[in-house]
Amino acid sequence: MRITNFALLILMSGLSGPVLAETTADQIRKSTVAFLESFASEQAAEGYNVSFKPGSIDSRLALAECAQPLNVEFSGDPWKSTSPSIQVACEGARPWRMFVTASVSIRGPALVAARPLTRGERITSDLLSQQSVEVNASRRGVMTATDQAIGMQVRRAVNAGSLITPDMLSAPNAVERGDHVIITAKTGGFSVRSRGKALASASIGEQVLVENLRSSRTIKASVVAPGQVEIPM
């Protein structure tokens, strides 16, 4: 029995199965660039200038076809790294994900010391100025608004012109050791007040040991305001 070339071609095609569509390296690169462009546009509206360069992707890469737009997101914090990782994923019937590197620079205003700052000094507006810096070059973060720093206390000496980072400042003590304080005991809408003496120093939100001056009992309370502590009943 003779088989024509055409019939043989059909037979061989059926044996080899259908040719599957693929997601190419170029498609992944374009999706990554579109994501970074969108991020840059969003930050521009907030006063930040973002420049970026996506990392190289092997041109031979071919992944399963994605029936829907690729999902692209940062897998690392772009505000704390100039080389954040980006995840590209397909959530379709044949899901996959991969990671792409990129160089990202975010420039914008940040707080710097207007003059040398000494340890323990309380921050006021005249001690701060703003400069345009590469915000994400500091792994320790930056402070961008003066109200984030005013009233805080300098933890260590800071040189003039140095970038102000959150770890340089701490909340001042709202209660000092030996201070007389108001103790409020609360339960539901009912509260009882008494006078006490702080046995240690603490800032708002911290716990401190307090001696109740009426009962002479020592209790642990939370500092809620300067000179005021609170305990649950």
Side-chain angles (χ1 to χ4, degrees), residues 36-104:
L36 290 171
E37 287 176 341
S38 177
F39 175 74
S41 179
E42 291 172 0
Q43 303 316 312
E46 301 295 328
Y48 295 95
N49 179 40
V50 177
S51 58
F52 60 85
K53 181 180 180 181
S56 60
I57 302 173
D58 192 336
S59 60
R60 298 168 297 179
L61 180 69
L63 299 170
E65 180 186 27
C66 198
Q68 58 195 53
L70 297 177
N71 181 40
V72 186
E73 62 184 8
F74 286 113
S75 61
D77 189 349
W79 291 92
K80 293 185 178 180
S81 173
T82 55
S83 303
S85 179
I86 299 172
Q87 177 181 279
V88 182
C90 174
E91 308 294 343
R94 303 169 65 194
W96 52 261
R97 67 174 181 169
M98 66 169 292
F99 295 91
V100 178
T101 59
S103 296
V104 178

Side-chain angles (χ1 to χ4, degrees), residues 78-139:
W79 291 92
K80 293 185 178 180
S81 173
T82 55
S83 303
S85 179
I86 299 172
Q87 177 181 279
V88 182
C90 174
E91 308 294 343
R94 303 169 65 194
W96 52 261
R97 67 174 181 169
M98 66 169 292
F99 295 91
V100 178
T101 59
S103 296
V104 178
S105 174
I106 306 174
R107 295 196 67 86
L111 299 181
V112 299
R115 65 161 174 78
L117 306 178
T118 58
R119 180 180 178 182
E121 192 168 7
R122 192 74 64 89
I123 294 292
T124 56
S125 59
D126 61 303
L127 300 182
L128 304 170
S129 62
Q130 282 194 332
Q131 287 184 11
S132 178
V133 301
E134 190 173 23
V135 175
N136 60 333
S138 172
R139 293 181 178 273

